[in-house]
Amino acid sequence: VAQYSLGVQHELASALILTTQYVGNIAWHQNSNIPINNFPLSTPLSVRQAAATGKLSTLDTLNARTYPGFGGMNQITNSLTGSYNSFQVGLRQQNRHGLTFEVDYTWAHEIDDQVGSADLNTSTNPWNLKYDKGSGSLDRRHIVNINYTYRLPIFAHSGGLSHSILGGWEISGVVISESGLPWAGNNTPGGGYSDTIGLGGGYTNRPNLSGKPHYTKGKTTVGTNTGYQWVSNQGYSQPVAAWDGGPNLGFGSEGRDAVVGPGRTNFTTSLYKSFAFTERTRFELRADSFNSFNHTQFNAFNNTAANNNFGFVTGAQDPRTFQFGGKFIF
C-alpha cells in the first residue's frame, strides 16, 4: 500500500483555520481466496446444464472437477488491487467567545475488486476477478463531520447561588451526515434464481440489471408485504444460462456496486457543568443523548432480487438514548 497526501492551511482570522487537502492511497497484490476446483471451462454445455439442474450424480460431479475426486479448494492469491482518493476541507476555531468547533467535509471514492473490501474473502467469479471491481464496501462518497463545545453565556457574570447553579454550563456535540454504502460483497442483490453457470459451484452469481436501480425510498406494498422499501427489483432478471447462449459464462450483468444504500445523519449531544466546593474538590454533572432527534437511520435490507421483499428495510440504527452521570473529583 502506498499512501500520499498534500494539504494547505490558512488562518482566516484569529484562531480560525481553513484546511484543504488531498488524501489518497493505492494498493496492489492484495490477498484473496480463489476457488480452483470448479469444472474446467472446456466442460460441455450439456454437462454444465445437468449439473445446474441437479441431474449430475455426486460421483460424476467430483470426476468433472479440475482435480477429480476432490471437493472445493481455495487458493490464496495476491492478485487484487484497490485505490482511495479524497478531497477534504475543514474549518476549525479554537475557543473564541466560548466556542470551539470544527467542520469537515470529505468527498471520496474507494474502488477495489475485493469482495467485502477485506483480505481473504472469496472472489465471486474465479474466472474473471474484475467481475468484482467497483466501488468498495468502504466507499462513502460524501461525509460531513461537525463537532463543537460552547460555554453557555447565561448567568456567566452573575454571582451567588444563581451563578453556582445556573451559570457555567457547557454544551458539546458531534454531528455526522454521510452518504450510503454500495451494496457489495455479501450484500449484493442476488440469489433466488437457478444456477445459470453450471461449473460445479465455488462462485456467486448476480442478476441481470437493465438500466439503473429504481429507488422507491418510501412506504410501499408489494403483494402481502407492506413496509419501507429503499429500492425495488424493477429492472432485475435472471441471467441467461450459458447453454442457452447467455454471455459471460452465465454471470449476471449487475455490478457489485449497483445499489447505494441510504445515508446516515446522527446527532450526539452533551450538557455538563462542574460544581466547585473547594479549590481541590468539585462535582461534575452531565447528560448525554445519542441520536438526539430520534432520526430513523436504516442499515439493512432484503437483498434477494428474485424475492418480492427485495429492497425492504430489515434493520435500523439504535433509537434515541439518554445517559446521565455524575463524578466527584477530589
Side-chain angles (χ1 to χ4, degrees), residues 105-117:
Y105 167 74
T106 299
W107 179 93
H109 193 190
E110 188 258 323
I111 302 173
D112 62 47
D113 46 20
Q114 298 170 280
V115 173
S117 300

Side-chain angles (χ1 to χ4, degrees), residues 57-126:
S57 69
T58 302
L59 180 61
D60 288 339
T61 298
L62 287 174
N63 289 332
R65 296 187 179 277
T66 301
Y67 301 97
F70 294 92
M73 297 180 184
N74 283 350
Q75 180 181 24
I76 297 177
T77 70
N78 304 96
S79 53
L80 303 184
T81 61
S83 65
Y84 172 83
N85 292 279
S86 70
F87 174 75
Q88 304 173 8
V89 59
L91 186 65
R92 182 175 69 250
Q93 177 175 284
Q94 295 292 333
N95 196 20
R96 188 176 184 184
H97 304 299
L99 176 64
T100 296
F101 72 86
E102 183 170 354
V103 180
D104 297 302
Y105 167 74
T106 299
W107 179 93
H109 193 190
E110 188 258 323
I111 302 173
D112 62 47
D113 46 20
Q114 298 170 280
V115 173
S117 300
D119 285 346
L120 297 179
N121 283 346
T122 303
S123 293
T124 296
N125 183 346

Side-chain angles (χ1 to χ4, degrees), residues 206-222:
R206 295 195 288 266
N208 280 339
L209 175 59
S210 176
K212 296 182 179 180
H214 179 66
Y215 293 94
T216 49
K217 299 182 183 180
K219 189 174 182 180
T220 309
T221 298
V222 177

Side-chain angles (χ1 to χ4, degrees), residues 174-188:
V174 176
V175 181
I176 296 176
S177 182
E178 54 193 15
S179 55
L181 292 171
W183 289 13
N186 292 331
N187 290 329
T188 301

